[in-house]
Amino acid sequence: MAVVLMLLAAGVWGWFGYLMLADWGPDVSTSTSTPESLCRGLLVEPSPGDNACHSELRQWPPLLGILA
């Protein structure tokens, strides 16, 4: 049982890290490179200026609630 709980906790921490670091949102095409995501991760850019980057799941309180 303890091993299962440890794996579950590691999975939740992994998901938290992914949501905090991964770029997301619609792709923005540039002529010189591959398409990039419009929104940066919360740890990379904590307060995005674009309104398209506001998501209920990508805010600090819900993400910390996942860990709690």
Side-chain angles (χ1 to χ4, degrees):
M1 182 68 173
V3 173
V4 173
L5 291 176
M6 290 297 290
L7 290 174
L8 180 64
V12 170
W13 274 99
W15 182 247
F16 177 77
Y18 172 77
L19 289 175
M20 294 298 285
L21 294 172
D23 295 344
W24 63 284
D27 290 337
V28 177
S29 299
T30 59
S31 60
T32 59
S33 66
T34 60
E36 296 180 1
S37 295
L38 177 65
C39 306
R40 305 290 305 225
L42 285 176
L43 289 178
V44 178
E45 185 179 347
S47 56
D50 192 354
N51 285 338
C53 293
H54 293 285
S55 169
E56 293 297 321
L57 185 59
R58 300 279 181 152
Q59 302 297 320
W60 285 96
L63 290 176
L64 292 176
I66 290 170
L67 288 178

